[in-house]
Amino acid sequence: MFDAVTLLALALLVAAVVASVVPGVPAGLLALAGIYAEFLYGDGMALWLLASFTVVGVLALVVDLFGGAIAGRARGTSNQTTLLAAVAGLVLFFVVGPLGVLLGMFGTVFVLELRRDDRTVEQSLENALWATGGMLASGVAVFLLVASMLAGYAVFVLWLG
């Protein structure tokens, strides 16, 4: 039915979909690992299909790493604030769980932006909401990207291949 390479690739792709909702786990890399395992050791995947999966996987990785920062930066949040917020979210993840990521991101951006001389409470609140919303939106985007890789693998490699 399925060989070991196919099972490994499927396991990595499913793990990527699950990891897309877990902060700090590179879902794009997991998905790419599954695709490349199939390409290198499987029954033969077309080069165009590998290239397509690679583009989607790299996009998922970029969105995962920089989505929240890009959204915060679009509202004027500094790079330093964004970096500190990401660290605070990661630390609070281990203390409070997934809610800690949201609280860490929001609270850090709000407090650090409020400390800037040119920021009002409303501006700081708005920047914190944008950064946190961007992080959530990037999580949804990563989920959709790696889920599309799983679906593409199922269709083009398992069913049609």
Side-chain angles (χ1 to χ4, degrees):
M1 173 114 176
F2 291 129
D3 61 358
V5 173
T6 301
L7 291 175
L8 174 66
L10 273 173
L12 287 168
L13 285 162
V14 169
V17 171
V18 172
S20 69
V21 296
V22 177
V25 180
L29 283 180
L30 282 172
L32 285 171
I35 294 300
Y36 276 83
E38 177 67 40
F39 179 75
L40 294 172
Y41 304 109
D43 292 332
M45 178 190 303
L47 195 55
W48 70 268
L49 192 54
L50 176 69
S52 300
F53 281 132
T54 300
V55 168
V56 175
V58 169
L59 182 60
L61 186 60
V62 169
V63 169
D64 197 12
L65 292 174
F66 302 112
I70 291 169
R73 191 75 186 120
R75 289 298 303 161
T77 303
S78 71
N79 289 334
Q80 181 183 10
T81 297
T82 304
L83 178 63
L84 290 172
V87 170
L90 185 62
V91 168
L92 285 176
F93 171 73
F94 293 106
V95 176
V96 186
L99 183 61
V101 176
L102 295 175
L103 294 174
M105 173 68 82
F106 180 84
T108 303
V109 171
F110 179 72
V111 169
L112 292 178
E113 287 294 299
L114 190 59
R115 291 189 57 188
R116 287 175 60 179
D117 292 334
D118 60 339
R119 296 284 187 222
T120 65
V121 172
E122 292 81 19
Q123 289 171 321
S124 299
L125 180 63
E126 192 171 307
N127 284 359
L129 288 171
W130 269 87
T132 306
M135 183 185 63
L136 290 171
S138 69
V140 170
V142 170
F143 172 80
L144 293 173
L145 288 166
V146 295
S148 74
M149 290 177 74
L150 175 61
Y153 180 81
V155 169
F156 289 107
V157 176
L158 298 180
W159 187 43
L160 297 176

